[in-house]
Amino acid sequence: MIFIPLLGMIAVLLLPRESDELIKRVTLFFTLVPLAVAVALFISYDRSTAGTQYVVNVPWIQAFNIQYHIGIDGLSVTLLLLTALLGPICVIASWRNIEKGIKAYMALFLLLETGMLGFFVALDLFLFYVFFELTLLPMYFLIGIWGGPRREYAAIKFFLYTLFGSVLMLVAMIAVYLNSGALGARTSTEGNALNNLNFQIWVFLGFFIGFAVKVPIFPFHTWLPDAHVEAPTAISVILAGILLKMGTYGLVRINMSMFPQGLDFFCNGLALLGFINIVYGSFCALAQTDFKKLVAYSSIGHMGFVILGLSARNDSGITGAILQMFNHGVISAMLFLLVGVLYDRAHHREINGFGGLGTKMPVYTGITTLAFMASLGLPGLSGFVGEALSLLGAYDKFKMLTILSTIGIVIGAAYFLWTLQRVFLGTLNPKYEEIPEINGREILTLVPLGILTIVLGVWPNFAIDMFRESVTNLIDVLQAI
């Protein structure tokens, strides 16, 4: 599953440069195969155990005890499904939007997918780092070549921020290696030098900053709005849907599982950062007039709920945080696709430049309303359940912070409803008298995400059952300190 997109990249590179349609079809095929595998894994995964399944463990760099060690648990299988689902959706979304260098674009996209899939299944710390870094280079070029007017600035800013975090992660990883004698990812720190509190604090901090840049957590967030605004639509979908989740997944997989004493030391600070993300991100979103930048800042606010839930270290908080990771990936992907639909027609994203589009684009308006309502946390849609569980768990440990964090929900409702009013209601702007309705290809990219949004709102156990045992196991590790 991991290397099928890599094979696709090689196949695309061997095709003639002028065969645009063939390149797109081959790319789509090599993203549909991992989706089929991910669905099969999701169906066949044994939900009754917290153990790792479908494990592959073969020697790689034996001199340093580095293994090619991969496998899935309940957390990784849900994010694998999300990654594999967004792959073909992004290829279809790029079908008419990317006009130059299609061969290079599709090849880089397939390389990016290999990095993302590998990251979520890696069980060796060195392998984990390799896949983490593998996503950096293709994303840099995808933004820097196919992005908007300030694409070079946004790409360099993304690269430097992520590289800064990666260097600290590498230093922390070397420290783990030198103090444990092995480079394999662990779920327990018993019986080795990793038990030392001071060591855990420093190493936790190194990994945390690396992942905090990806989430992004305040104050490492400033690359995100620039990258989103300049990136092509499909790359914005991957940024919000998957790359942000790589940060929170890393916090769960490395920081919480390997360094529980470090987490215990920093949990109050982590909760405070989650609160800042929620409130600051929401107020920034409220101030935006660029549709895409508004969605970008809303992502910063929503990821704050994930951080707040994780910092609670209890069943409700962690379950809500992991569910919110998946839900936000689905909802934010919808939102960026919807912004792209409007940009393709109007060639701008200025919210105040529209008005009355609901009469001309009723189907588009309906789908956008669904995505807005899910993102602002309307009960019955997926955004509500994750936020509610995160807040429920956090209230047990951080009552005042949790109460104050609900400001973010109110502000979220304000900026989404205000945007809905300015873009779709009121008098139709004469410039858009002939604006075309959303087409079949665009609807095809949105329907699977819309269905998931409704299903997870009504039946959240669809996802929760997958990682319930993994959460229980993680809580046992945290309570053992």
Side-chain angles (χ1 to χ4, degrees):
M1 180 185 184
I2 299 167
F3 296 108
I4 286 169
L6 191 62
L7 290 173
M9 183 190 79
I10 295 167
V12 164
L13 291 174
L14 293 174
L15 293 172
R17 184 179 297 177
E18 62 276 4
S19 305
D20 290 350
E21 285 299 311
L22 181 59
I23 288 168
K24 293 171 188 174
R25 291 175 190 276
V26 169
T27 305
L28 181 60
F29 172 77
F30 279 100
T31 55
L32 284 171
V33 176
L35 175 58
V37 177
V39 171
L41 283 173
F42 193 85
I43 293 169
S44 63
Y45 181 80
D46 183 0
R47 295 156 174 76
S48 63
T49 176
T52 309
Q53 301 174 33
Y54 299 97
V55 175
V56 176
N57 190 5
V58 293
W60 183 18
I61 308 174
Q62 291 181 316
F64 297 98
N65 195 27
I66 297 171
Q67 317 290 324
Y68 179 76
H69 188 193
I70 60 172
I72 57 170
D73 65 359
L75 171 59
S76 54
V77 74
T78 50
L79 292 172
L80 267 185
L81 180 64
L82 178 63
T83 306
L85 175 64
L86 292 183
I89 285 175
C90 288
V91 173
I92 295 169
S94 305
W95 209 271
R96 295 284 175 259
N97 296 354
I98 303 300
E99 297 174 349
K100 65 174 183 180
I102 292 171
K103 180 176 177 176
Y105 175 91
M106 293 300 178
L108 286 167
F109 183 84
L110 287 165
L111 179 62
L112 177 63
E113 183 165 4
T114 290
M116 295 186 298
L117 292 171
F119 177 82
F120 289 123
V121 299
L123 296 176
D124 180 280
L125 198 53
F126 185 81
L127 188 65
F128 183 88
Y129 184 79
V130 167
F131 281 123
F132 184 83
E133 288 294 282
L134 187 59
T135 62
L136 179 58
L137 199 63
M139 184 58 77
Y140 168 76
F141 285 114
L142 287 165
I143 297 172
I145 296 174
W146 289 274
R150 298 175 71 243
R151 55 186 177 271
E152 291 91 351
Y153 169 77
I156 290 171
K157 194 172 183 181
F158 162 78
F159 190 91
L160 291 177
Y161 266 73
T162 310
L163 190 65
F164 165 71
S166 298
V167 169
L168 291 178
M169 275 182 59
L170 182 61
V171 172
M173 195 172 73
I174 293 169
V176 172
Y177 171 70
L178 294 175
N179 281 272
S180 66
L183 210 57
R186 301 167 185 267
T187 55
S188 171
T189 56
E190 294 180 8
N192 58 60
L194 298 182
N195 263 332
N196 182 275
L197 176 60
N198 287 331
F199 176 81
Q200 285 217 8
I201 288 171
W202 285 107
V203 176
F204 181 99
L205 202 57
F207 278 108
F208 173 77
I209 293 173
F211 296 132
V213 171
K214 279 281 194 199
V215 172
I217 297 174
F218 178 89
F220 306 107
H221 67 285
T222 58
W223 65 267
L224 182 72
D226 292 308
H228 269 311
V229 167
E230 300 306 323
T233 296
I235 304 309
S236 289
V237 169
I238 292 295
L239 262 174
I242 307 300
L243 261 69
L244 272 60
K245 311 307 170 293
M246 288 172 66
T248 49
Y249 176 84
L251 289 175
V252 176
R253 183 64 76 218
I254 305 296
N255 288 70
M256 297 181 73
S257 300
M258 290 178 63
F259 312 117
Q261 294 179 61
L263 175 66
D264 187 58
F265 183 84
F266 285 112
C267 69
N268 290 332
L270 195 60
L272 181 62
L273 288 174
F275 161 74
I276 293 172
N277 254 49
I278 293 168
V279 176
Y280 173 79
S282 299
F283 274 111
C284 285
L286 185 64
Q288 302 309 312
T289 58
D290 183 302
F291 203 163
K292 205 173 189 184
K293 193 171 276 192
L294 180 145
V295 177
Y297 274 112
S298 78
S299 289
I300 294 173
H302 286 116
M303 294 310 289
F305 287 103
V306 177
I307 302 304
L308 189 62
L310 292 177
S311 65
R313 298 170 296 155
N314 55 29
D315 184 64
S316 297
I318 296 173
T319 299
I322 295 172
L323 184 62
Q324 182 67 1
M325 285 162 60
F326 186 85
N327 289 340
H328 178 263
V330 173
I331 297 167
S332 64
M334 279 187 76
L335 289 169
F336 280 111
L337 287 168
L338 288 161
V339 173
V341 169
L342 206 54
Y343 182 75
D344 289 343
R345 287 154 174 76
H347 306 296
H348 75 87
R349 295 184 298 264
E350 188 65 28
I351 295 171
N352 295 319
F354 296 103
L357 291 185
T359 57
K360 291 293 178 180
M361 304 175 72
V363 177
Y364 175 79
T365 304
I367 298 171
T368 306
T369 302
L370 172 67
F372 278 10
M373 294 303 150
S375 193
L376 64 82
L378 187 74
L381 298 174
S382 60
F384 170 75
V385 187
E387 287 184 7
L389 287 173
S390 296
L391 291 171
L392 185 65
Y395 185 77
D396 189 45
K397 300 286 181 70
F398 315 104
K399 287 184 172 56
M400 187 52 65
L401 271 183
T402 306
I403 292 168
L404 292 173
S405 294
T406 57
I407 294 169
I409 298 174
V410 177
I411 301 300
Y415 61 71
F416 276 124
L417 292 174
W418 194 24
T419 302
L420 196 69
Q421 181 182 18
R422 287 180 287 174
V423 174
F424 300 105
L425 305 180
T427 306
L428 176 67
N429 187 328
K431 289 168 60 178
Y432 304 112
E433 191 68 46
E434 303 300 324
I435 192 167
E437 176 64 283
I438 187 170
N439 61 42
R441 177 182 58 84
E442 293 160 339
I443 290 174
L444 181 63
T445 63
L446 291 161
V447 164
L449 302 175
I451 291 171
L452 270 176
T453 298
I454 295 168
V455 168
L456 286 167
V458 178
W459 182 34
N461 279 347
F462 172 75
I464 292 174
D465 283 347
M466 298 300 295
F467 52 77
R468 189 185 299 278
E469 292 299 323
S470 298
V471 170
T472 302
N473 186 58
L474 177 59
I475 291 170
D476 289 342
V477 171
L478 296 175
Q479 291 178 344
I481 60 173

